[in-house]
Amino acid sequence: MSNESFEPRLVGFLCNWCSYTGADLAGTSRMSYAPNLRIIRVMCSGRVDPQFVLKAFKEGADGVLISGCHPGDCHYQEGNYKALRRHRLLSKMLEQMGIEKERFRLEWVSAAEGEKFQRVCNEFTDEMKKLGPLNLNGGKKNEQ
Amino acid sequence: MSNDKPKVAFYWCASCGGCEEAVVDLAEDILKVTSAVDIVFWPVALDFKRKDVEAMEDGSIAVSFINGAVRLSEQEEMVKLLRKKSGLVVAFGSCSHLGGIPGLANFWNKQTIFDYAYLKSPSTNNPDKIVPLEKSEVDGKELELPEFYDTVYSLDQVIDVDYYLPGCAPPKDLIVNAVNAILEGKLPPKGAVLSPNKSLCDECDRNESKPEKFTMTEIKRPWEVELDPEKCFLAQGVICMGPATRGGCGQRCITANMPCRGCFGPSDQVFDQGAKFLSAMASIIETNDEKQIDKLIETIVDPAGTFYRFSLPTSILRRKKMEATK
Amino acid sequence: MVNLTIDGKKIKVDEGTTILQAAEKNDIKIPSLCFHPLLEPYAACRVCVVEVIKKGESEIVTSCNTKVTEGIEVKTDSERAMKARELNVEMLLAQAPDAEAVQELAKDLGIKETRFEVKDPDEKCILCGLCVRACEEVVGADAISFNERGAERTVSTPFGQESEACIGCTACSFFCPTGAITVEDLLGREVIHDELHLGPSSAVRVPIRQAVPMVPFIDEEACIHFKTGECKLCEQVCEKEAVDHDMEDEEVKVEVGSVVLASGFKPFDAKRIQAYGYGRFNNVITALEFEKLVNASGPTGGKIRLANGKEPESVGIVHCVGSRDENYNEYCSRVCCMYSLKFAHLLNEKTNAQVYDFYIDMRCFGKGYEEFYHRLLEEGTKFIRGRVSEITDVAVTEKEEGKLVIRVEDTLIGAMRRIPVDMVVLSIGLEPGIDQNEIARVFNISCSQDTFFLERHPKLGPVSTFSDGIFLAGACQSPKDIPDTVAQAGAAASEALSLADKGTFELEPVTAEIDKDLCSGCQICVSLCPFTAITYNEEEGISEINDALCKGCGTCVSACPSGASQQRHYRDNQIFAEIEGIFIE
Amino acid sequence: MEKANEKAYRLHLMVCAGTACVSNNSFGIKDALEKEINKQGLEDEVLVVTTGCNGFCERGPLLVVQPGNVFYQQLEEKDIPHLVEEHFLKGRPVKKLMYKPPKEKSPIPILSDINFFKKQVLIALRNRGLIDPEKIDEYIARDGYSALAKALTEMEPKQIINEVKDSGLRGRGGGGFPTGLKWEFVSKSSTNGQERYIVCNGDEGDPGAFMDRSILEADPHAVIEGMIIGAKAIGASKGFVYVRNEYPLAVSRLIKALEQARGYGLLGKDILGSGFDFDIKIVRGAGAFVCGEETALMASIEGRLGEPRPRPPYPAEKGLWDNPTCINNVETWANVPVIINRSADWYSNIGTKTSKGTKVFSLVGKINNTGLVEVPMGITLREIIEDIGGGIPDGKKFKAVQTGGPSGGCIPAKNIDLPIDYESLTEVGSMMGSGGMVVMDEDTCMVDVAKYFISFTQNESCGKCTPCREGTKAMYEILDRITKGEGKEEDIDLLEDLAKSIKDSALCGLGNTAPNPVLTTLKYFKDEYEIHIKEKKCPAHVCRELNTYTIDEKTCLDVGHGCDLCRKNCSANAISGETKTAHQVIQEKCIKCGVCYDVCRFDAVKVK
Amino acid sequence: MAKLTIDDLKKIKEKAKRRTELREGGDYRAKVTVHMGTCGIAAGARKIMNAFMDELEQSKSSDILLTNSGCAGLCSREPMATVELSGQAPIKYIDLTEQKTKEIFQKHVIGGNVVKKYALGKGSEKTDA
């Protein structure tokens, strides 16, 4: 798959109170942005388990995004801080597993930042295009 | 079946031999085992050959205990053979159950391993760059070696496994219970791990010493701290995989004043022991300030190696992504 | 019981009574100066001498301390006793001519004037020691005592210096029979404004006239008992035995369903603005102090007085002190404009001082507020629009001599002006209460940037907070005046009550739960929950989640290393399935 | 000088080191003696010992040579070389330095032959001049602490008390309360196991009294032994010696004695192995005469303002810190060991029917042999003044004697044959008091004496009660007026009324006795008062304002040849005339200072 | 000093008494007077006195009085000393030497019988007792 026609497949875990609403705002404000990001809604960015991230990469994701409320705004007070800590440690381990740090991204998008969500999606997609496919296991689904 | 005693087979793949010794470790209990069963295949102890197994009828072996991870084609063939020949297959020990220490090779592939082991390692003097080949000719004779896979596989990634006996070297009592359970036929549902499902903290004496709402303010290596024999390792800032590792080992390492490394593997509900422990460890870091977090994570030198010490092959990603890997 | 005769009268008294007490019980009057029922007899003045005849032997004794013995015959006015008494009184007349008590006693005894040399005609002290003994035995402060010897003997504090031991309880002047010790009359002298938060007048008092409940309390700072362990006179006097000095504050635990936080505000400390000179100039006072001045039950009885006690001729009122100011508080404190206008009106009414009012924007937002502002305009109050830069007592023109000069930039005429006034009232703004953060931490609610409590939603949930069951009312949520506060309080109360009578309580559906058979009690989850919903149960060695507190964020689920903690929705396998679903081609 | 103890000397020079002699340089004499002895090489044969007050203060500094009891007096350092060589080396006593009674011609070498000592009976002062007070061994040598040993081991407390009661010993402080009785009260009263205390009252505030000081300086161990015996009798655990801070030598000797006694285990725990624990603490008086009164003394020991309190309760019931306390005078304690050793009978046949034993008097004033005398009770005034006192100097006539200090009274010459004891002195309006005996001759003005004593008590009054504080001041003002010639007719009656009222209604001993000097002078010398008031004259010419000085021109010119000495010395230049002419006193200017009378060698100045 | 008992007290008393008794002028069994006039001293009376002192010390007796006096008048036979036992007439010894003194002390003062060969004669002028 040549670079230009390569469409990266991205998975985004969005927190229900800020990022998901922000994405919704982007939609209702008729903002257009790269469709590559497939969204999974979770109650709080703190809910995102590192296993989900690994699972996403395993299933063929070229990039995984976690998006939560700005620090201090979390509906559950501290959920996003936990996400921040896990993101830092997990990105270090992913590098050890051969997965570039850029493929795993953490963003703060509040309910009012529709255009920030748009920008994040476009940027992430372009970056993944440049980086090329992860094809973790030679592009094949894993055996057995 | 010549006599009514059930037939038992032992086999070892990419193994350090520790599990074999664990069987011998049964000491006088071994007599009970030998009297109860008929060991028909035990390459490390008895001189059985492959063709003897091939000669057996399918399913004639009541249970075969296979330890060690699958690294060579020969091992893959043998285990597949034993699967055919046995009623029950039990993954004996961490290597067959999770991939074990040999599994850590999944950070590399055949090429990088051979380069280093036979060419680049400082102690090697191999000007002719002789490297083991699957087919080679020596003194005019043809020599065959099994194929060296790029990735190490746990047993259940190669054949269907009935039960798992965890532990890097399963403890004596666990083996005895398993054998008795099998003999008496009182077995849990297929695929179960023959050890309690609760994590090590449940039986660890040090759990009470945990301070209320404890968090990690700094992380240290075991040799950096004068370990207090009564206090929980995590409370002393040392990484201990106890919370993410199944109990039942009788806290062998804890009583030796060393933190748990997770050899019993995760509990049933956990898909990836390393990731799960990483999540727990990251969550209880004290500070919310980014720079502080990075500084703290700096002190965890090798997260993958530490968290996947025994379970890399059975992790979700299984191996490090390398360019040309099969 | 002891039998004796006094002045021929046979009487019977019990053991241990003194002759003076026995006489008094049988209403026989024996004069005395240094005796007081509350104190141990000291027998110094020797005025209470009587003649006692026992077994034929006559002897002169002081009746205040000599105990009665069986069969004695007491003569209170025998020739020998009277001689001694008269001479003693005559001598006291010479020593303390100005003491009324001695003059009266002399008159009774028929002594016209003293034959002895008078050292100091207006000396009142007869060295009876009542003051010294009261200070020691009743008050226990031991602040004064005798010094020097013989005729030089005086009563004073050590070395005549101001004594640290004296607690100003005025007991000595109360006990002094001749008025030799007087208490400096505070009211008379210059009222210094920072005395307006005056010290307690008496240790047992009703806090304020309008106190609810209208019950007296003991002020520990002023009460002698808490200083020296003595006194407890109030306890002896109260018939209902309602006084108990040993009562302690006790902590009472109350189980409640919901809490309305109305922790109020803290007035802005005017000292922080150096330029306004509060604390340096006596006549620069804050609004609260002005309220005390103008209050009828206040220290000056409602009369508006300068520090030197005179009536001010001109008063400046400065708005927005510490509010709408990025150096202090950016927000508008909302109430100062209206109370400043009230002050201006009171000044016009009670004094004929010329009132100057320095404002930025006159915020008369409430019902009838604007009309009140116009009345002020008609009353002749001069309004100057501009923020006051400095208040100084440095006079440039002689008109400003002895006055406080207010320097202000009058934005309407675009020029700096210097207004000399006698008194300046600083309309201080409102700030969050002193323990605002502490309360927020305890009740798990958050504060907005200006550290007032953060309501759940400015429009949709103005009185509730993010923590269910915790409601807000009054200035702790943001500065507001009384009408607004009352309205908000009503709302908060009704919301709280609505929870109570509904009987049920909506729970978050997605709360997490911990499987008892899986949880190993590793306590990793306990520190994660900001809502303290997870507690470690020691006996069973497992952690438990309190459904009422859990908000369902799932942080503990993802962190639980053994997977024992699961959320009722968004379960791991559901999300795994979603991930797989994304990549099905 | 440890080794000195063993070495045998043949001569001991007992140098008196009482305060009076010390102030007369007796330490200088001692050094001179030692220097001279060393020079003569006699240091192994002759030992110099410093002792307490010998008694004959008039003739200090004193030396008694033992053996032989040779008495030397009024020594000066320059006499020492000659004395050492003559007497100590050559064995020839030096007559020049011996005591020669005024009327006699030849000196009396032997101490015991001198009148001053002959009639004295030494009990309290038994060791005076015979031991070095700073060496406990010497005290033990003279039966020291043997009474204590006897009391502790052989006698029950009851027996000790009875012995003291039978001896008839009475308080030597002035009150004269039977000591045995007091001990009995204190030993009986002790509610719920309270501690009992005993106090030695060494305040001795009377002007001119130095008996206690001399006893403490000469023989501190006698007082200590007495106190321990008393403590055993009463069952007291702690003792206090309240001694005037103005007696530094007595205090330092007492401290040394206490240390040595404690060192020998005679104080502290398990004394002499008898299981009886007792210790003594020294409390120094702050110089207030009123603290001699027992309740004020106790207040001072407790650290409170030295001010008496009403009695009862008496110290025996509620004394120091409200515990039973027995307070006795220094001299009383000093007598106790002798009574125990020599038995009550021996003691009781000294003295009169009601006052047993001896009394130490400090004989001062217009007397030849000023000093400390210990005489048996019942001795007559005449024997003291004439025999012991050696009569009145300068041939003046004996007028009166004041006993008992400021609380005592004046006894006129006509009562010279009065036997001295508690009752006799009280009858004549005076009192035994501490033992001060001030002899007055014809040149003494009784009004001035009364004024002096009332000014003392007025100054020392604690000021607590009106009669004493104001009364003594009033009396002083009246007497002052009288001595200044402004006395009024009714002053005498007012003085008497005041005196009676003060005596009646004053709170403590000081107040009750302060008027005594005035009352006795009024009683016996009323005429002198009337002369002062009516004629505005002072017969004894002591009240200066009443004197008029005139110069007898004839004597001035003929005998003195107008020597002009009086004019030169007259500070008010109230004398006219120059050398070689008769001088005259200008009465208006004369401030009556009396200098001209004093300086005129020719008796030209007459005073009327 | 260690804690005293009653008999310690008595012992101290005995020891100290020997020294203080001298002062009391009590009655003595024997009185030795060394004549130390100027010529007596010149003739060596000091040595005789020291000899007597040493003897007295060794004898540890407390009832012997050793004293000195002025010139005895017989200058030519100096140094001289008189020994007078109570109740006996005083004996004067002449031309004394230390050796003779020791002998006299032992035989006469202690022994009680006169040493004729050194004695001048019995009796003497009046001595002030």
Side-chain angles (χ1 to χ4, degrees), chain B residues 9-175:
Chain B
F10 287 92
Y11 184 70
W12 57 326
C13 310
S15 157
C16 65
C19 289
E20 303 299 333
E21 276 169 37
V23 173
V24 173
D25 255 357
L26 296 180
E28 64 281 11
D29 295 352
I30 190 92
L31 300 178
K32 270 205 255 116
V33 171
T34 47
S35 62
V37 295
D38 178 8
I39 301 174
V40 293
F41 182 65
W42 194 0
V44 76
L46 311 167
D47 188 8
F48 290 96
K49 295 289 184 263
R50 178 171 168 161
K51 55 184 176 10
D52 303 338
V53 176
E54 277 158 358
M56 291 176 194
E57 279 169 45
D58 290 358
S60 63
I61 302 171
V63 61
S64 53
F65 296 92
I66 302 172
N67 68 68
V70 176
R71 152 65 90 194
L72 304 174
S73 55
E74 177 216 3
Q75 289 157 357
E76 185 180 357
E77 287 142 19
M78 268 310 289
V79 294
K80 282 192 167 131
L81 173 65
L82 279 171
R83 175 69 264 182
K84 205 146 69 48
K85 297 295 178 194
S86 327
L88 291 178
V89 168
V90 173
F92 189 98
S94 303
C95 298
S96 56
H97 170 212
L98 304 163
I101 299 290
L104 287 174
N106 282 2
F107 283 118
W108 294 278
N109 57 14
K110 177 182 164 190
Q111 191 53 44
T112 45
I113 292 169
F114 275 33
D115 283 356
Y116 187 78
Y118 295 103
L119 304 176
K120 292 194 191 94
S121 74
S123 55
T124 315
N125 179 3
N126 183 3
D128 313 339
K129 292 193 177 29
I130 301 164
V131 165
L133 299 168
E134 280 167 40
K135 281 194 179 45
S136 58
E137 216 190 278
V138 174
D139 310 339
K141 291 199 194 58
E142 175 119 322
L143 199 61
E144 267 192 20
L145 285 177
E147 186 200 347
F148 187 98
Y149 295 145
D150 279 312
T151 307
V152 172
Y153 299 101
S154 67
L155 192 61
D156 57 7
Q157 288 169 354
V158 178
I159 58 171
D160 179 25
V161 170
D162 297 306
Y163 294 105
Y164 299 88
L165 244 177
C168 181
K172 214 171 62 166
D173 52 356
L174 224 60
I175 303 170

Side-chain angles (χ1 to χ4, degrees), chain C residues 32 96 129 144 148 156 164 205 287 305 364 400 451 464 491 532 575:
Chain C
S32 74
I144 48 174
E148 286 301 334
S156 95
E164 275 125 32
R205 62 181 189 287
R305 286 292 172 274
C364 321
E400 292 165 356
T451 58
S464 56
T532 59
I575 294 179

Side-chain angles (χ1 to χ4, degrees), chain C residues 30-195:
Chain C
I30 300 177
S32 74
L33 278 173
C34 75
F35 174 75
H36 191 282
L38 272 180
L39 300 171
E40 287 294 314
Y42 191 52
C45 71
R46 315 305 279 187
V47 166
C48 68
V49 280
V50 291
E51 185 172 3
V52 169
I53 296 151
K54 193 160 89 176
K55 299 194 205 70
E57 253 188 62
S58 116
E59 196 192 6
I60 295 287
V61 288
T62 44
S63 55
C64 67
N65 66 323
T66 312
K67 296 207 165 53
V68 292
T69 45
E70 188 52 39
I72 55 168
E73 203 225 334
V74 178
K75 291 207 186 73
T76 62
D77 49 11
S78 75
E79 196 264 344
R80 186 174 169 199
M82 288 308 289
K83 195 95 185 90
R85 187 179 302 155
E86 277 155 14
L87 260 175
N88 285 339
V89 170
E90 189 180 342
M91 284 190 255
L92 282 175
L93 209 54
Q95 185 215 333
D98 197 13
E100 295 86 15
V102 177
Q103 285 157 4
E104 270 143 39
L105 209 52
K107 234 195 277 84
D108 301 350
L109 295 168
I111 302 163
K112 289 200 205 24
E113 37 85 38
T114 174
R115 289 166 288 179
F116 308 112
E117 199 186 307
V118 170
K119 205 161 78 182
D120 168 5
D122 37 34
E123 172 60 71
K124 278 190 187 300
C125 173
I126 56 169
L127 294 170
C128 64
L130 274 175
C131 55
V132 174
R133 290 181 284 131
C135 191
E136 184 193 344
E137 288 165 33
V138 173
V139 175
D142 280 341
I144 48 174
S145 75
F146 289 109
N147 56 20
E148 286 301 334
R149 210 182 34 220
E152 308 311 316
R153 183 165 160 117
T154 59
V155 171
S156 95
T157 57
F159 308 106
Q161 305 291 329
E162 205 203 299
S163 145
E164 275 125 32
C166 171
I167 51 175
C169 66
T170 74
C172 49
S173 78
F174 173 78
F175 276 93
C176 176
T178 63
I181 294 187
T182 54
V183 178
E184 214 173 284
D185 172 9
L186 258 185
L187 274 187
R189 62 176 172 71
E190 188 181 323
V191 172
I192 303 203
H193 279 277
D194 54 22
E195 279 174 297

Side-chain angles (χ1 to χ4, degrees), chain A residues 11 32 58 64-65:
Chain A
V11 173
S32 67
K58 187 68 186 171
V64 174
L65 163 73

